[in-house]
Structure formats: structure tokens, C-alpha cells
């Protein structure tokens, strides 16, 4: 267990650490406010699909756009912030000024997006499928412009933040090969140890940097199109660029969150969690294949060369399975016969690992071409990514926040998961089960409601499942508000969080 006042040789000093603590508290409080608001948008959509409320199509799609972009952006931002906090307070000096700039740029981007969607009714979906936003859009041009600029601001913030972390790590641990843990692949033990979080940060943030640059290129083309309507770009190329960005962003959000599980779990199990040859192989495979897994989003684009579709299936398997397998094995090794006190953090981490695996298996099923023919664009797709985000990443975040809000070891040992936590878990799985059932019944995704579906039975099943889902969302919302209130009070009241 680290002592409250320790510093790290050639790492951050105490003054720096205090600043990073403040910054992390600000990130956390922002998350505690933003996340429930985004859930409310999801609840409204499910209620509309269940015909419990009635909204205009344009309203539904602007809410879906804000919810999708907002959730993906919020979870990535907090995942990045928590990873940076753990790195900055334990291993490597990171700039507080830069971290603060990233925070304000992210807030500016979110405010811009909210304005574009809620006031300007921008409703192109997170995927902004070119050239559709420019053809007969039901929203004004300024909102497309504002959404595009806001996304550019977010991308710039994440790009700068990611570059900073990778450069700082490479300065301390050596270049690319050291950060990728290749020293562990030789016959001899490496001369110095590499913390697992450094490897995972590298494996995640370098593809992230490529993804943010790609998004910038895409968004600049969008701005050009906005100012010069006679321009015309290759729609398949733009779809490739956008899905490379979107898929990579969500993927690395999970990995960044997993990074802090490697750091914090040992503090509760009392067992070390170090790198070894197998873990290094696993994460290196992820690094290689993560860049190509997004091809599974283009299975139905028949103009895409067939070879890329096959590569997409193989890369989907290869990027997901090795890292998941080594991490889950690691979690089992942490808890098996360990004298562990099942306080909130290890519980949330273990359940989060479970959600990650369940969603991951559903994703791998969907990325199998033969099955994707049936499940493509059904609610099975939101089912799987909501599983590893809501029942995976969000639980990892809760585990981290419980940790952050309990400054002393004694407090951490007494922080039990209360009724709110369990309401959240039950509500989340109930909500997710309705997505899976709807997917298995071929209910399409991204339908504002199912009233216009040709088959009366599909309309009824879709609406009924949406109603049940909405009831579960109310349950999880009540639960998470209870959890968040407790965390909020402790974060604001406490003086010194753990390092
Ligand atoms: C309880 C929480 C949540 C609720 C109630 C909810 C609800 C919904 C609903 C109803 C849709 C539209 C699905 C469709 O008909 O196609 C949707 C879409 C979406 N959600 Fe959530 N969601 C929740 C949490 C999350 C989380 C944690 C993420 C994190 C990334 C997320 C990301 C998205 C995205 C990206 C879309 C857009 C999907 C698309 O483009 O088709 N949601 N959500």
C-alpha cells in the first residue's frame, strides 16, 4: 500500500500530486452530473420506442445523436482522466496545466454539441453518414457547423492529452519497444520492470492518436463541404475514416479503464499483478489488430473489397480475445483464495470484468460474418456495446470513484456497495436483456418508434420490450443517483484522496 506522502524518484513531486488530485476531483464531479443527464436521454428514447411518450422524429434523432456522442465522449474522457491521474500520481510527471486545458476543451466541446443537438436539432447520429447530413437535412446548417467544430475541439483535446501521456511514459521507460514490453519476450528477465498501466496506456493511446488524426481529417472535409456545397467526396472513404475513429475510441475506452484495474486491484487483494510474457503477447496482439477490427462495421458495404471483410472478422477476434483472456485470468488470479474484503471497489471491478466479457462475446458473435447477415442493424448491436460500456466500463468507473472518494485505507475497507449499487446492476442487466431479446426478434435499431413497421407482431414486440426496458432504466437511474449522491458528498467533503 502506498503511503500518503510518498513521491517517486524522477516522478511527480508532492505539490504536483495535490494539483492532480484537485483536477481529478473536478473531472469526477463533472462526470457525476453529466452521466445521469445522458441516461435520461436514453430513457426518453426507450419510452418513445415503447409509445409511452410521443416525440417528433427530429427530436428523437437529435437526442440519439447527443446521447451517442455524449456517452462515448464522456466515458472516454473520464477513462483518460483517471488513467492520467494514476500515472501522474504514481509513475511519471504529467503537466497539470495541460491536463486542465484538456478538461476545459472537453467541456467546451460538450457544450457546443449540446447546443447543436438541443437547440439546432442536429440529428445525423454519431456516425454523421456522408453525404446524408448535407442532403435535405431537417436542421439548419449552423448546427452541422457547430457540431463539426465541437467534435474537432474534442478531438484536439484528446489528441494533445494522449500525446502528452505517451511521450512522458517513453521519456521515463524508454522508447516504443520498451513501452510495448518486448523486454519480457526474451529469455532473460528484463533489467527493470514496466508497470502494466504503462503498457496498456501505450497499446490504447497510440491507436487513439491515429484515430483522432483521422477524425480531424474527416471533420475538416466536412467543414469544406459545408462551405462549398459543390464539392463531393468518396462516401465509402469517409465511412472508413469515421468508423475507424468511432470504433477505436470506444475500444480504447475499455482498455484505459482496464489499465487502472491492473493498478488498483492488488491494493485490495494484497497480491502483485505484474507483466509477464503471456500478458505482453496478449496486449501486443491487441495493439496490432485493434486498427483493423473496425472493418466489421462495413460488412454490408458491398463496394468494400472482399478481402477487407475477411480481415475484419479475423481482426475482431484477435483484438478482443487475447487482452480479455489475460485480464480475466489476472482478475481470477487476484481473487482466487485471496483474503479479500469485498468492498465496493473490488466488487465493481469484478462485476465490470464480467460485463466486459458478456458484451465482448456478444460482439464477437456479431462480428462473425455468417451471423452478422441476420443481426446487422438489429437491436443486437446496441445490446452488445451497451453491455461492455454500461455493465463494464461504467462499473470500472464506479470502482475507481469509490476508491477516489475514500481517502484513508480504513475508509476504503469500510466502503461497501449499498442498495443503490445493486439497483443499478439489476436495472442495467434488465435494460440490456430487452435489447438482446429485441435483437433476437429482428427489431431494427435506430427506429424512433415501431409503429410504421410492416409486421404488426414486430411492432408489438418492439414496443413491449421497449416499455419493459424503460422500467428497468428508471430502476438503474434511481440506483445510480443514490450511488452518485454518496460519492459526490464524499468527493467534495474529503481532503486527501489516495494516490
Ligand atoms: C442506462 C443507460 C442508457 C440508456 C437507457 C441508453 C439508451 C439508448 C437507446 C434507446 C438508444 C437508441 C437505440 C436504437 O434504437 O438504435 C441508444 C443509442 C446509443 N447509445 Fe445508449 N443508453 C444508455 C447508456 C449508454 C452508454 C453507457 C453508452 C456508452 C458509449 C451509450 C452509447 C450509445 C450510442 C453510441 C448510441 C447510438 C447508437 C447508434 O448509432 O445506433 N449508451 N442508447
Amino acid at each position: 500500500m502506498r503511503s500518503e506522502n510518498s513521491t517517486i524518484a524522477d516522478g511527480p513531486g508532492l505539490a504536483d500530486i495535490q494539483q492532480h488530485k484537485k483536477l481529478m476531483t473536478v473531472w469526477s464531479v463533472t462526470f457525476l452530473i453529466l452521466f445521469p443527464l445522458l441516461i435520461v436521454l436514453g430513457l426518453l428514447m426507450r419510452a418513445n420506442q415503447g409509445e409511452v411518450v410521443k416525440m417528433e422524429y427530429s427530436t428523437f434523432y437529435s437526442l440519439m445523436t447527443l446521447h451517442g456522442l455524449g456517452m462515448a465522449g464522456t466515458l472516454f474522457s473520464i477513462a483518460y482522466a483517471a488513467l492520467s491521474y494514476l500515472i501522474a500520481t504514481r509513475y511519471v510527471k504529467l503537466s497539470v496545466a495541460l491536463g486542465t486545458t484538456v478538461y476545459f476543451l472537453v467541456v467546451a466541446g460538450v457544450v457546443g454539441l449540446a447546443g447543436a443537438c438541443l437547440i439546432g436539432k442536429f440529428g445525423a447520429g454519431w456516425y454523421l453518414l456522408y453525404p446524408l447530413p448535407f442532403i435535405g437535412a431537417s436542421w439548419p446548417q449552423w448546427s452541422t457547423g457547430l457540431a463539426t467544430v465541437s467534435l474537432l475541439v474534442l478531438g484536439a483535446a484528446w489528441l494533445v492529452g494522449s500525446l502528452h501521456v505517451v511521450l512522458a511514459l517513453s521519456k521515463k521507460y524508454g522508447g516504443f519497444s520498451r513501452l510495448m514490453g518486448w523486454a519480457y519476450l526474451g529469455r532473460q528477465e528484463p533489467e527493470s520492470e514496466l508497470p502494466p498501466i504503462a503498457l496498456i496506456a501505450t497499446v490504447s493511446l497510440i491507436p487513439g492518436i491515429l484515430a483522432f488524426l483521422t477524425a480531424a481529417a474527416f471533420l475538416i472535409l466536412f467543414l469544406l463541404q459545408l462551405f462549398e456545397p459543390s464539392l463531393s467526396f468518396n462516401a465509402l472513404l469517409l465511412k472508413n475514416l469515421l468508423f475507424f475513429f468511432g470504433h477505436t475510441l470506444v475500444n480504447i475506452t475499455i482498455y484505459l479503464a482496464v489499465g487502472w484495474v491492473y493498478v488498483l486491484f492488488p491494493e485490495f487483494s494484497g497480491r502483485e499483478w505484474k507483466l509477464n510474457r503471456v500478458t505482453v503477447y496478449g496486449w501486443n496482439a491487441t495493439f496490432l489488430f485493434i486498427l483493423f477490427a473496425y472493418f466489421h462495421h462495413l460488412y454490408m458495404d458491398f463496394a468494400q473489397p472482399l478481402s477487407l471483410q475477411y480481415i475484419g472478422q479475423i481482426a475482431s477476434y484477435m483484438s478482443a480475445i487475447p487482452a480479455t483472456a489475460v485480464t480475466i485470468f489476472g482478475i481470477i488470479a487476484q481473487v482466487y483464495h485471496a483474503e479479500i474484503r469485498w468492498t465496493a471497489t473490488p466488487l465493481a471491478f469484478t462485476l465490470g470484468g464480467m460485463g466486459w466479457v458478456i458484451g465482448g462475446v456478444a460482439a464477437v458473435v456479431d462480428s462473425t460474418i455468417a451471423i452478422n447477415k441476420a443481426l446487422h442493424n438489429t437491436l443486437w448491436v446496441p445490446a452488445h456495446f451497451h453491455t461492455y460500456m454500461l455493465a463494464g466500463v461504467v462499473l470500472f468507473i464506479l470502482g475507481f470513484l469509490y476508491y477516489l472518494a475514500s481517502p484513508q485505507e480504513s475508509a476504503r475497507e469500510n466502503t461497501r456497495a449499498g442498495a443503490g449499487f445493486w439497483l443499478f446492476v439489476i436495472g442495467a442487466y434488465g435494460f440490456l436483456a430487452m435489447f438482446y431479446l429485441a435483437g433476437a426478434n429482428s427489431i431494427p435499431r435506430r427506429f424512433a418508434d415501431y409503429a410504421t413497421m410492416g409486421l404488426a407482431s414486430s411492432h408489438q414486440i418492439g414496443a413491449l420490450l421497449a416499455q419493459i426496458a424503460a422500467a428497468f432504466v428508471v430502476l438503474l437511474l434511481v440506483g445510480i443517483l443514490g450511488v452518485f449522491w454518496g460519492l459526490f458528498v464524499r468527493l467534495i467533503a474529503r481532503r486527501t484522496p489516495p494516490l
Side-chain angles (χ1 to χ4, degrees):
M1 191 75 61
R2 291 173 52 80
S3 104
E4 281 289 303
N5 296 317
S6 63
T7 54
I8 306 106
D10 74 341
L14 268 181
D16 255 4
I17 290 177
Q18 294 301 338
Q19 296 292 319
H20 280 291
K21 286 176 187 172
K22 281 192 192 144
L23 183 58
M24 192 61 235
T25 306
V26 175
W27 272 112
S28 306
V29 170
T30 312
F31 172 78
L32 296 181
I33 296 168
L34 202 54
F35 185 63
L37 292 176
L38 292 167
I39 293 183
V40 171
L41 302 188
L43 172 61
L44 287 174
M45 283 190 282
R46 249 1 213 147
N48 195 64
Q49 290 169 334
E51 296 165 23
V52 180
V53 299
K54 179 86 196 118
M55 58 176 85
E56 299 281 327
Y57 285 169
S58 59
T59 308
F60 179 91
Y61 288 108
S62 59
L63 294 191
M64 191 182 92
T65 305
L66 182 57
H67 168 85
L69 285 170
M71 279 291 191
T74 303
L75 296 198
F76 175 78
S77 299
I78 191 83
Y80 163 80
L83 176 105
S84 305
Y85 169 78
L86 288 174
I87 289 178
T89 51
R90 287 157 189 261
Y91 305 107
V92 176
K93 194 170 159 50
L94 293 181
S95 159
V96 180
L98 191 134
T100 312
T101 311
V102 169
Y103 172 79
F104 281 110
L105 284 176
V106 167
V107 171
V110 170
V111 170
L113 271 182
C117 295
L118 296 179
I119 303 170
K121 289 270 176 112
F122 178 71
W126 76 264
Y127 38 91
L128 314 166
L129 203 59
Y130 181 85
L132 295 183
F134 300 99
I135 300 174
S138 61
W139 55 86
Q141 269 206 353
W142 68 259
S143 66
T144 305
L146 179 58
T148 310
V149 172
S150 306
L151 288 172
L152 265 172
V153 171
L154 284 169
W158 295 333
L159 176 64
V160 172
S162 305
L163 277 170
H164 179 53
V165 172
V166 173
L167 291 176
L169 285 172
S170 72
K171 208 166 146 197
K172 168 143 183 190
Y173 294 105
F176 179 73
S177 62
R178 287 279 305 131
L179 282 178
M180 291 296 286
W182 293 350
Y184 287 81
L185 304 180
R187 292 227 175 114
Q188 284 158 1
E189 287 286 302
E191 281 167 19
S192 56
E193 281 187 8
L194 180 71
I197 197 170
L199 168 67
I200 298 173
T202 309
V203 165
S204 313
L205 293 179
I206 292 181
I209 289 164
L210 295 177
F212 301 141
L213 288 171
T214 307
F218 172 93
L219 292 166
I220 289 168
L221 294 182
F222 244 59
L223 282 182
L224 291 177
Q225 178 76 68
L226 200 65
F227 291 120
E228 183 47 68
S230 65
L231 285 174
S232 169
F233 301 112
N234 183 310
L236 188 59
L237 172 67
L238 262 64
K239 187 169 176 185
N240 269 280
L241 295 182
L242 202 270
F243 275 84
F244 171 63
F245 160 70
H247 184 266
T248 309
L249 179 81
V250 169
N251 235 199
I252 66 174
T253 301
I254 306 173
Y255 297 147
L256 295 183
V258 167
W260 71 65
V261 175
Y262 276 71
V263 177
L264 297 179
F265 218 125
E267 297 198 3
F268 295 88
S269 66
R271 291 179 176 169
E272 288 183 328
W273 195 347
K274 291 183 174 182
L275 288 182
N276 57 39
R277 186 185 295 234
V278 179
T279 350
V280 170
Y281 272 127
W283 283 101
N284 273 257
T286 297
F287 180 81
L288 189 64
F289 291 105
I290 198 174
L291 302 173
F292 307 104
Y294 85 93
F295 287 142
H296 63 225
H297 287 276
L298 289 100
Y299 284 158
M300 292 292 158
D301 294 283
F302 301 116
Q304 185 90 335
L306 192 62
S307 53
L308 296 188
Q309 315 288 34
Y310 291 128
I311 293 174
Q313 173 163 336
I314 296 164
S316 303
Y317 280 57
M318 292 305 293
S319 76
I321 295 172
T324 315
V326 294
T327 304
I328 295 303
F329 188 79
I331 293 181
I332 294 171
Q334 286 287 306
V335 301
Y336 185 68
H337 281 195
E339 286 181 14
I340 195 165
R341 277 173 70 90
W342 284 102
T343 52
T345 299
L347 185 67
F349 283 168
T350 309
L351 288 177
M354 188 178 97
W356 178 30
V357 172
I358 297 173
V361 170
V364 167
V365 165
D366 192 31
S367 71
T368 308
I369 293 174
I371 301 176
N372 188 273
K373 282 182 188 164
L375 294 179
H376 192 87
N377 271 348
T378 67
L379 282 174
W380 186 276
V381 182
H384 76 65
F385 73 77
H386 278 83
T387 310
Y388 47 69
M389 298 313 274
L390 188 65
V393 173
V394 172
L395 281 170
F396 289 149
I397 294 172
L398 285 186
F400 173 79
L401 292 179
Y402 275 122
Y403 179 86
L404 190 76
S406 310
Q408 277 81 34
E409 199 180 325
S410 58
R412 248 173 282 156
E413 286 188 351
N414 290 317
T415 307
R416 299 268 168 188
F421 178 86
W422 291 110
L423 271 186
F424 170 75
V425 173
I426 295 166
Y429 274 102
F431 156 70
L432 295 167
M434 297 310 121
F435 264 165
Y436 282 110
L437 280 176
N441 278 284
S442 300
I443 307 298
R445 71 191 289 202
R446 297 181 189 146
F447 268 41
D449 59 48
Y450 308 112
T452 51
M453 288 184 68
L455 279 174
S457 59
S458 293
H459 171 202
Q460 282 156 11
I461 293 173
L464 176 68
L465 293 174
Q467 286 161 16
I468 303 173
F472 276 114
V473 177
V474 172
L475 208 65
L476 83 83
L477 195 55
V478 171
I480 207 150
L481 284 176
V483 173
F484 277 15
W485 179 248
L487 286 170
F488 185 78
V489 170
R490 296 220 316 260
L491 277 170
I492 298 291
R494 65 112 177 81
R495 295 217 174 84
T496 46
L499 300 185

